[in-house]
Amino acid sequence: MAYTFLLFDLDHTLLDFESAEETALTQMLEDMNFPDVQAFKDYYKPMNQGLWKDLEQKKLTKQELVDSRFAIGFAHFGRDVDGEEMALRYQDYISQQGQTFPGAEDLLAKLVERGYQLYGATNGVTAIQQGRLKQSAITPYFKEIFISEQLGTQKPEVAFYEKIGNLIPGFAMKQALMIGDSLTADIAGGNAAGIDTVWYNPNHKENTSQVVPTYTVSNYQEIADLLIK
């Protein structure tokens, strides 16, 4: 199959979200003189991941997620905070984090050189994602980056991909490839939209779901081998 349009997930695929989150949370909590920074992170990180899964399943809205996650986190430690205000404070810290995985920029450069059109396709908060992308080295390789909050829909909804398709000149689903680490967002969404998918699985997780990717890879070289003949 000849592909033209490559849709890349960002966090956990190209952008190192774990490093960004770790640095931003540490800086914010230390500046607040929080007594046990590590304990907060140990509770907050899985709780936050659970909220994003709930968002995928439409159990809550993006705004509810953003406004509640820090209120929930601090409440666990007996502190009452304004979740909305804390979200804005955290946004200042994490939007300065542009860490990418080793080899990400090199992969994108090779794909652009071969004539592929690269687009970012990310679920996230607009201000945070735009800030992090400004700090990263990968942004120039993309013709455009689509953020769910701006589109008013998110992966895995078919509407997310349909809106992207309407915004890309000459776009055709059969010429597109969705590349990402999440079976429930990237792969399930691509499948539903009729787009071939690459499951980026560097940790060799077992697929126990009903979601079947077109291809599975465990490193960037395998993506290059798939697309650069």
Side-chain angles (χ1 to χ4, degrees):
M1 175 66 73
Y3 301 107
T4 301
F5 311 97
L6 304 183
L7 310 179
F8 271 94
D9 173 56
L10 297 183
D11 283 321
H12 311 288
T13 301
L14 298 171
L15 292 177
D16 187 348
F17 178 79
E18 282 80 8
S19 292
E21 182 181 49
E22 177 72 17
T23 301
L25 284 173
T26 299
Q27 290 176 347
M28 183 181 79
L29 293 166
E30 288 180 348
D31 288 347
M32 294 174 64
N33 295 314
F34 192 80
D36 195 335
V37 171
Q38 191 59 50
F40 184 93
K41 291 188 293 189
D42 288 344
Y43 175 77
Y44 170 84
K45 288 181 179 180
M47 178 270 294
N48 183 47
Q49 289 172 1
L51 292 178
W52 281 96
K53 292 295 183 185
D54 287 344
L55 177 66
E56 288 177 11
Q57 298 170 20
K58 299 184 179 180
K59 294 180 179 178
L60 77 171
T61 67
K62 174 71 67 58
Q63 198 60 51
E64 288 170 340
L65 183 157
V66 171
D67 291 346
S68 67
R69 56 183 176 175
F70 284 105
I72 295 170
F74 281 99
H76 180 75
F77 294 92
R79 292 182 60 167
D80 182 27
V81 301
D82 183 323
E84 188 173 354
E85 186 276 331
M86 194 60 62
L88 292 173
R89 183 183 299 189
Y90 176 67
Q91 179 175 298
D92 290 338
Y93 287 89
I94 197 164
S95 62
Q96 300 304 311
Q97 309 300 322
Q99 298 92 328
T100 58
F101 291 115
E105 184 179 0
D106 183 55
L107 171 66
L108 300 183
K110 289 178 180 177
L111 295 173
V112 169
E113 184 179 351
R114 285 303 180 102
Y116 289 104
Q117 294 184 33
L118 274 54
Y119 296 88
T122 177
N123 282 355
V125 179
T126 302
I128 290 175
Q129 295 299 69
Q130 288 180 338
R132 292 175 63 214
L133 286 163
K134 285 179 182 178
Q135 300 295 325
S136 81
I138 63 173
T139 307
Y141 298 100
F142 293 101
K143 294 181 74 68
E144 194 166 351
I145 293 172
F146 301 103
I147 302 172
S148 60
E149 189 173 76
Q150 292 178 316
L151 296 180
T153 177
Q154 69 271 334
K155 298 176 290 186
E157 294 176 2
V158 172
F160 178 86
Y161 296 91
E162 290 177 340
K163 286 191 176 184
I164 286 177
N166 289 334
L167 293 168
I168 298 175
F171 184 84
M173 295 289 188
K174 293 187 180 298
Q175 292 179 302
L177 187 66
M178 177 72 217
I179 304 166
D181 72 293
S182 173
L183 286 170
T184 55
D186 305 311
I187 309 307
N191 289 354
I195 296 174
D196 282 0
T197 56
V198 175
W199 181 30
Y200 177 60
N201 183 24
N203 297 318
H204 303 280
K205 297 178 182 177
E206 182 182 359
N207 182 2
T208 58
S209 73
Q210 301 298 311
V211 180
V212 180
T214 312
Y215 313 96
T216 299
V217 301
S218 59
N219 55 58
Y220 292 150
Q221 185 58 53
E222 291 178 1
I223 296 176
D225 291 343
L226 175 68
L227 294 170
I228 301 174
K229 305 293 186 180

